[in-house]
């Protein structure tokens, strides 16, 4: 129903570039022209067949080719369940390595998104296994998980390239902090840990992925106070969310990357964006009713 209603589609396009790779490439070109780096996600998760998983990997390889051909600045950000993690690690790993190999050929990072806790161990495990051959692999940790403090220490030992986000899935209180203030405080603590001298000396590069102004300011201030070069960390935001902050962040001299999602399978991503902010849902329903 959502896909058929023109008013609904317009609202979806606030967060999703479009259904085709071309739509994402056009948005990326526009953002690059504003001095912003990008990440690109071909939407999809939990594929059911090896053919679908291979198709997803192929889409990333193709989009990397187009990014290079058009001289755009964008790196893939992908989900392992889109590459077949539910079908076994071997299927997923072969697909991931195909994308990583294409990325390595053009010196491009590949971010491996973090999904629900059903996948945390498998995702971090696979990341650690591919990293020796693919230093262009980057991973993600979620500040809402109680376990993340321990995961972060392991990633620091590896000198990893890591995105720190708050976390977007529904998790039980034994696994995730139920209170938003606890999540925010944990985020601030983990960010400090990545900025610590020993982590930086090991080569850690952190993507501070949040739209939370207070945390972005904290990253800026910590970077300055600790003398961390501007090219040793970046702020990351999602397409369509708090774009009014972009100018201020870059004016502060910070690197900013905007993640641009595209694809026909936008439903799960779109629902997570609505769920994060009840105001979005109210706005969306009003928008539909008005039409
Ligand atoms: C680049 C990037 C990559 C991500 N990758 C992952 C991942 O791999 N795994 C994962 O679990 N999560 C991922 N996330 C999502 C993340 O975990 C959060 O769910 C999401 O970023 C919202 O949290 P926040 O840090 O912006 O803080 P919040 O405290 O939720 O939001 C701060 C402010 O940002 C604005 N805002 C936040 N979300 C929205 C929204 N949906 N619509 C409108 N305004 C909004 C509001 O003004 C809000 O007050 C990613 C986020 C980013 C930016």
């Amino acid at each position: 129903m959502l896909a058929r209603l023109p008013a609904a589609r317009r609202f979806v396009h606030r967060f999703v570039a479009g259904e085709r790779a071309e739509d994402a490439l056009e948005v990326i070109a526009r953002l690059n022209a504003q001095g912003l780096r990008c990440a690109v996600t071909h939407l999809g998760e939990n594929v059911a067949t090896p053919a679908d998983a291979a198709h997803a990997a192929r889409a990333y390889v193709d989009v990397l080719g187009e990014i290079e051909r058009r001289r755009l600045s964008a790196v893939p950000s992908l989900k392992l369940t889109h590459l077949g993690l539910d079908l076994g690690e071997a299927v997923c790993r072969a697909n991931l390595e195909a994308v990583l190999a294409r990325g390595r050929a053009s010196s491009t990072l590949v971010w491996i998104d973090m999904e629900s806790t059903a996948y945390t161990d498998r995702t971090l495990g696979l990341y650690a296994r591919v990293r020796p051959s693919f230093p262009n692999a980057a991973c993600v940790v979620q500040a809402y998980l109680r376990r993340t403090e321990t995961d972060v220490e392991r990633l620091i030992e590896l000198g990893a390239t890591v995105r720190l986000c708050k976390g977007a899935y529904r998790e039980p209180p034994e696994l995730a902090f139920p209170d938003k203030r606890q999540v925010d405080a944990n985020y601030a603590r983990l960010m400090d840990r990545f900025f610590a001298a020993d982590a930086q000396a090991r080569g850690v590069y952190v993507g501070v992925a949040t739209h939370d102004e207070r945390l972005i300011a904290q990253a800026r201030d910590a970077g300055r106070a600790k003398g961390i070069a501007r090219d040793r960390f970046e702020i990351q935001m999602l397409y369509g969310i708090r774009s009014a902050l972009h100018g201020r962040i870059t004016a502060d001299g910070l690197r900013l990357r905007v993640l641009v999602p595209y694809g026909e399978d936008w439903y799960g991503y779109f629902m997570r964006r609505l769920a994060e902010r009840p105001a979005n849902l109210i706005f969306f329903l009003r928008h539909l009713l008005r039409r």
Side-chain angles (χ1 to χ4, degrees), residues 114 142 163 166-168 180 210-211 273 276-277 280:
M114 187 54 80
Q142 298 156 320
R163 170 191 303 153
K166 288 189 187 176
K180 184 171 167 12
T210 184
H211 314 93
R273 301 293 79 80
E276 263 157 16
R277 201 163 142 75
N280 282 346

Side-chain angles (χ1 to χ4, degrees), residues 264-278:
E264 290 174 12
D265 195 1
W266 44 259
Y267 186 78
Y269 178 87
F270 177 67
M271 283 299 153
R272 282 194 288 278
R273 301 293 79 80
L274 284 190
E276 263 157 16
R277 201 163 142 75

Side-chain angles (χ1 to χ4, degrees), residues 109 111 127 131 135 137-140 155 159-163 203-207:
L109 279 181
W111 295 87
Y127 165 74
R131 193 171 174 273
C139 69
V140 178
L155 292 168
T161 301
V162 192
R163 170 191 303 153
V204 165
Y205 180 99
V206 63

Side-chain angles (χ1 to χ4, degrees), residues 59-69 74-76 99-100 102-103 106 108-110:
Y60 278 110
V61 168
D62 290 348
V63 88
L64 271 166
E66 272 309 298
I67 287 167
E68 191 175 35
R69 199 179 65 77
V75 302
V99 183
L100 285 167
R102 182 60 188 85
S106 51
T108 303
L109 279 181
V110 175

Side-chain angles (χ1 to χ4, degrees), residues 3-289:
R4 279 197 308 269
L5 282 175
R9 286 175 79 101
R10 268 195 297 278
F11 193 81
V12 171
H13 284 177
R14 193 184 135 186
F15 300 107
V16 176
E19 298 198 342
R20 303 164 309 143
E22 186 57 36
D23 299 322
L25 291 164
E26 281 169 19
V27 169
I28 289 167
R30 209 172 63 231
L31 293 170
N32 284 174
Q34 294 166 20
L36 306 176
R37 289 150 201 268
C38 289
V40 62
T41 291
H42 177 221
L43 293 170
E45 45 205 290
N46 300 106
V47 295
T49 68
D52 287 344
H55 182 74
R58 184 82 239 154
Y60 278 110
V61 168
D62 290 348
V63 88
L64 271 166
E66 272 309 298
I67 287 167
E68 191 175 35
R69 199 179 65 77
R70 299 182 193 198
R71 297 174 195 279
L72 297 172
S73 168
V75 302
S77 186
L78 51 79
K79 291 198 178 353
L80 292 186
T81 67
H82 196 196
L83 300 192
L85 190 55
D86 291 330
L87 309 170
E89 178 166 319
V91 173
C92 182
R93 183 169 181 166
N95 288 322
L96 177 63
E97 290 191 345
V99 183
L100 285 167
R102 182 60 188 85
R104 194 176 51 188
S106 51
S107 308
T108 303
L109 279 181
V110 175
W111 295 87
I112 302 169
D113 291 356
M114 187 54 80
E115 303 177 65
S116 75
T117 43
Y119 301 104
T120 313
D121 277 329
R122 281 181 279 171
T123 303
L124 291 176
L126 187 48
Y127 165 74
R129 284 188 280 283
V130 296
R131 193 171 174 273
S133 314
F134 296 99
N136 60 322
C139 69
V140 178
V141 289
Q142 298 156 320
Y144 66 3
L145 294 187
R146 297 179 190 275
R147 61 174 284 166
T148 298
E149 196 178 346
T150 312
D151 292 332
V152 161
E153 292 307 321
R154 271 195 223 108
L155 292 168
I156 288 173
E157 270 171 39
L158 291 177
T161 301
V162 192
R163 170 191 303 153
L164 175 61
C165 68
K166 288 189 187 176
Y169 297 81
R170 183 177 285 274
E171 299 290 355
E174 316 83 80
L175 300 181
F177 298 108
D179 178 10
K180 184 171 167 12
R181 275 170 309 188
Q182 287 176 295
V183 177
D184 291 355
N186 200 39
Y187 193 110
R189 259 195 311 272
L190 297 172
M191 182 162 64
D192 261 359
R193 191 64 199 95
F194 283 128
F195 280 147
D198 64 318
Q200 291 297 312
R202 284 181 181 272
V204 165
Y205 180 99
V206 63
V208 176
T210 184
H211 314 93
D212 186 328
E213 275 178 86
R214 208 178 41 84
L215 290 169
I216 294 170
Q218 186 182 322
R220 179 200 61 204
D221 296 345
R224 279 182 193 157
K226 294 174 198 281
I228 298 169
R230 285 168 182 183
D231 61 358
R232 293 304 309 152
F233 70 101
E234 65 187 38
I235 309 298
Q236 300 185 346
M237 295 173 71
L238 298 175
Y239 176 64
I241 300 183
R242 306 217 66 186
S243 319
L245 289 182
H246 292 175
R248 216 186 307 156
I249 293 168
T250 50
D252 271 343
L254 298 173
R255 271 186 171 185
L256 175 59
R257 187 179 302 281
V258 178
L259 188 152
V260 178
Y262 78 94
E264 290 174 12
D265 195 1
W266 44 259
Y267 186 78
Y269 178 87
F270 177 67
M271 283 299 153
R272 282 194 288 278
R273 301 293 79 80
L274 284 190
E276 263 157 16
R277 201 163 142 75
N280 282 346
L281 190 59
I282 294 163
F283 187 77
F284 174 58
L285 292 174
R286 268 211 209 108
H287 184 79
L288 278 188
L289 290 174

